[in-house]
Amino acid sequence: MSANARLLRWALRARWRMAELVGLSVAITASYAGQGLLLAVVVDDVIAGAGLGGSLPALAGLVAVQAVRAGAQWRREVASAGAATAVKEAVRADLYAQLLRLGPADVRRRRTGAVQSTLVDGVEALDAYVGRFIPQAIASVVGAAAIAGFLLALDPVVGGVVLACALVVPLVPQLSQKVLAGRMDPWMAAYHALYAENLDAIQGMATLKVFGAAERRGRELTERAKDFCRVSIRLCAVTVLYVGVVGLAVGFGTAFAAGLGAVRHAEGALPALSLLMILLLARECFRPLRDLQNAFHAGYPALSAATGIFEILDAEPPVREPASPRTPSGQSLALDFTGVTFTYPGRDEPAVRDLTLRIGAGEHVAVVGRSGAGKTTLIGLLLRWFDPQEGAVHLGGVPVTEWPLDALRRQVAVVSQDTYLFHRSVRDNLTLARPDAGDEEVRRALDAANAAAFVAALPDGLDTVVGERGMKLSGGERQRLSIARALLTDAPVLILDEATSSVDSANERSIARALHRAARGRTTLTIAHRLSTVRGADRIVVLDRGGIVESGGHDELLARSGAFARLVAAGTTPEEAPA
Ligand SMILES: Nc1ncnc2c1ncn2[C@@H]1O[C@H](COP(=O)(O)OP(=O)(O)OP(=O)(O)O)[C@@H](O)[C@H]1O
């Protein structure tokens, strides 16, 4: 389906508002035609010597037409904003729902700035297309056809000329759309790139400053901006050409109709009133087409912006809801990876290969291994951010592909190394997964995560807003809040992905104790670099290049002098080595 057709379908979501808008646009066009006709009558009366007195009804009609048009124009602005807002809201809701379906694995593939500019500016670009172009296109075709038909009835020769010229104008958007497409897409791509690069630079400003790269990056951004300017000027050149062609058709059509009408009048083939009507109406016949040209220009960026929107909406989610969902009957949830192999898109080597691992219900297993061994990928497979190419993951004896996605993810509390806190209060961040949790429960979770004291010292306690991504807190404080958030959920499965990486060793010990308590009775998977954090686990599994190379108890593995012992020996700080 073409972009125009899809945009039209979106517009139909606000069909009543669009119908009102089309009606108002037609009324405005009709008011101009009515004005032309009434003026012709008044001028004809004056020329015929009837004086203004004889034209009073026509003059009154002229005043009424002005009043009706003013009212319709005011109402059209309101209706246009209403229709465009309704459509934009619906498209944004679709985009947001689709981004949720695509999940973090897909969204990370895209540049945040590009997604953001699609969600904000891309959707905003629909405004002029929906609110102006679509209703104007309908009103222009109806208005121009009606006036041309009237002129044809007055005089077939003049009417034929006006009709021929009028037909050129709607054809021009079709042709120019083809020409513009080649320039608009690079313009949109350059715009997204500029947006994403600027966002990247702002987010990474501290890093750029620290490494003395801020000025260099600034120069690169200036170059990007210049590229964008060049693409914009190329686009503008085509646009101006288009405006010129339309202007030529309109000017030529009006002048030719007037000239031909005068000749026909001189020949006695056309009465004076008809000539006056032709003179005034030929212009009015082109007015809606000129309005269409302006509306097309204002709305055209939507076609390109829609490409970015369609690209997200049409993307195939990496995982789908099961056709016949199933959940286990019991409460205890064992976690099984069976012969699992997973390769990230675009990668040759599997991140996880032929991995079989069972974590019994309530068991605590720690996975260790070098960086890039595939530890974090196990979490993505459990949460179904992506599915393995081979093998299966079961939770509670049911393949995760058969769990309803929401229910599956509700079973799992994750404390991860890249904790995300929202620009909201401490309380809102904590109760994200348990909106019904009372203050007492929140305080218990904070206590258990060793976070109660620092939260109490914040300016507004639990109501303190933590800043974007929790930037008003230290790394350790953010992590302790994320632990408290996980503790607050009653999820039977706990994932601790480097849960204590940002806390100092004094806090680490008390948090490790809290986590140990939290893990009790829950099926727990700890992903650890700091080997000191795995001592509380029932079992340790060593991963290398996506496969398990060793598994056993802490002391047993040390005594074996294998992969785990080598990792321990490579430990960088004394406290990381086991006592
Ligand atoms: N989104 C991704 N796209 C492509 N490859 C990825 C992606 N995420 C991870 N990888 C690759 O998959 C492999 C396993 O990554 P994973 O994050 O699971 O390792 P890890 O053991 O958790 O590492 P670390 O301890 O450093 O976090 C690595 O080679 C990594 O480069």
Side-chain angles (χ1 to χ4, degrees):
M1 195 188 292
S2 73
N4 280 313
R6 286 184 78 168
L7 285 169
L8 201 60
R9 267 197 5 192
W10 278 342
L12 287 177
R13 289 174 171 193
R15 54 176 62 83
W16 294 116
R17 285 196 168 112
M18 289 304 287
E20 181 189 7
L21 209 45
V22 170
L24 289 165
S25 300
V26 170
I28 292 166
T29 301
S31 78
Y32 280 115
Q35 174 182 308
L37 280 176
L38 290 167
L39 262 179
V41 170
V42 172
V43 175
D44 189 53
D45 284 349
V46 172
I47 291 173
L52 275 182
S55 308
L56 272 182
L59 284 171
L62 272 173
V63 172
V65 159
Q66 305 301 322
V68 167
R69 184 162 61 237
Q73 278 172 333
W74 167 79
R75 182 63 212 161
R76 184 174 65 170
E77 291 307 310
V78 177
S80 166
T85 304
V87 171
K88 285 187 296 182
E89 259 174 36
V91 172
R92 277 213 180 90
D94 279 6
L95 272 173
Y96 188 63
Q98 169 71 348
L99 286 170
L100 288 184
R101 266 193 299 277
L102 291 174
D106 183 275
V107 173
R108 253 178 237 146
R109 213 169 41 80
R110 303 167 193 273
R111 295 200 69 180
T112 318
V115 173
Q116 202 166 320
S117 61
T118 298
L119 264 172
V120 181
D121 301 344
V123 175
E124 277 311 302
L126 302 180
D127 203 298
Y129 192 90
V130 171
R132 283 191 64 194
F133 177 66
I134 293 178
Q136 190 57 53
I138 299 171
S140 293
V141 169
V142 171
I147 299 174
F150 183 75
L151 292 178
L152 266 175
L154 274 183
D155 186 279
V157 181
V158 178
V161 169
V162 172
L163 189 63
C165 290
L167 283 177
V168 173
V169 182
L171 288 183
V172 177
Q174 299 289 327
L175 295 175
S176 73
Q177 196 168 319
K178 286 200 170 51
V179 180
L180 280 174
R183 309 219 167 180
M184 195 70 195
D185 292 346
W187 180 86
M188 208 30 113
Y191 175 72
H192 282 318
L194 188 67
Y195 196 107
E197 292 289 323
N198 275 292
L199 187 69
D200 212 23
I202 290 168
Q203 285 176 342
M205 195 181 287
T207 310
L208 291 173
K209 286 265 181 211
V210 166
F211 287 102
E215 281 193 17
R216 198 170 61 240
R217 194 79 187 94
R219 282 194 296 277
E220 284 167 10
L221 286 176
T222 308
E223 280 309 310
R224 281 278 173 153
K226 281 186 188 157
D227 286 346
F228 179 62
C229 256
R230 273 191 284 274
V231 183
S232 302
I233 289 169
R234 257 179 251 142
L235 179 68
C236 192
V238 180
T239 310
V240 170
L241 192 70
Y242 163 67
V243 172
V245 171
V246 171
L248 200 69
V250 169
F252 178 78
T254 313
F256 200 65
L260 204 60
V263 172
R264 305 265 299 150
H265 177 63
E267 287 169 351
L270 201 64
L273 180 61
S274 300
L275 173 63
L276 283 169
M277 284 181 175
I278 286 171
L279 287 178
L280 291 161
L281 281 186
R283 225 181 95 236
E284 296 311 330
C285 179
F286 289 112
R287 184 193 295 276
L289 300 173
R290 208 187 270 276
D291 290 347
L292 174 63
Q293 169 208 300
N294 293 338
F296 174 73
H297 264 283
Y300 185 75
L303 287 173
S304 208
T307 315
I309 298 175
F310 297 147
E311 207 249 308
I312 293 179
L313 289 179
D314 295 343
E316 198 55 37
V319 297
R320 291 207 164 272
E321 282 285 351
S324 348
R326 199 154 70 88
T327 47
S329 41
Q331 274 295 308
S332 58
L333 297 179
L335 173 60
D336 285 284
F337 293 84
T338 316
V340 170
T341 296
F342 173 74
T343 309
Y344 283 100
R347 289 289 175 109
D348 299 327
E349 288 291 305
V352 170
R353 69 182 83 210
D354 196 18
L355 179 135
T356 296
L357 169 65
R358 179 178 174 79
I359 306 175
E363 193 186 5
H364 182 173
V365 168
V367 177
V368 299
R370 285 185 306 200
S371 179
K375 305 180 294 290
T376 309
T377 304
L378 296 180
I379 304 174
L381 288 164
L382 164 62
L383 293 172
R384 285 198 76 205
W385 302 135
F386 32 76
D387 285 335
Q389 284 88 13
E390 283 170 42
V393 182
H394 289 74
L395 184 64
V398 174
V400 288
T401 48
E402 292 183 22
W403 277 80
L405 279 171
D406 264 359
L408 170 72
R409 289 164 189 166
R410 270 203 308 275
Q411 307 308 310
V412 186
V414 181
V415 181
S416 95
Q417 52 188 333
D418 53 352
T419 295
Y420 198 96
L421 293 179
F422 293 88
H423 182 62
R424 307 187 76 156
S425 69
V426 171
R427 188 199 317 276
D428 286 348
N429 272 291
L430 291 178
T431 56
L432 199 66
R434 283 262 326 272
D436 59 323
D439 274 8
E440 197 38 51
E441 284 170 284
V442 170
R443 275 184 225 291
R444 251 183 281 138
L446 285 170
D447 265 338
N450 205 17
F454 94 79
V455 170
L458 289 173
D460 296 312
L462 274 174
D463 294 314
T464 308
V465 174
V466 300
E468 251 176 67
R469 289 186 288 152
M471 280 306 171
K472 290 185 186 169
L473 303 175
S474 75
E477 289 167 346
R478 280 199 292 276
Q479 203 155 22
R480 277 181 275 163
L481 283 192
S482 132
I483 293 169
R485 179 161 67 186
L487 295 180
L488 201 57
T489 67
D490 290 329
V493 180
L494 186 62
I495 305 285
L496 307 173
D497 180 10
E498 280 297 89
T500 57
S501 65
S502 303
V503 294
D504 54 45
S505 31
N507 271 316
E508 184 187 335
R509 264 187 289 279
S510 68
I511 290 174
R513 272 197 301 277
L515 288 173
H516 195 65
R517 271 200 306 277
R520 221 172 278 150
R522 303 204 209 193
T523 308
T524 305
L525 175 62
T526 293
I527 306 277
H529 279 276
R530 303 172 74 164
L531 300 176
S532 54
T533 61
V534 303
R535 305 195 89 215
D538 301 322
R539 191 153 49 98
I540 297 168
V541 169
V542 184
L543 218 58
D544 191 29
R545 293 187 195 175
I548 295 178
V549 290
E550 220 173 42
S551 166
H554 182 267
D555 296 339
E556 176 195 346
L557 287 182
L558 267 188
R560 221 185 269 170
S561 304
F564 181 69
R566 280 197 296 280
L567 279 175
V568 171
T572 50
T573 59
E575 77 261 25
E576 282 187 2

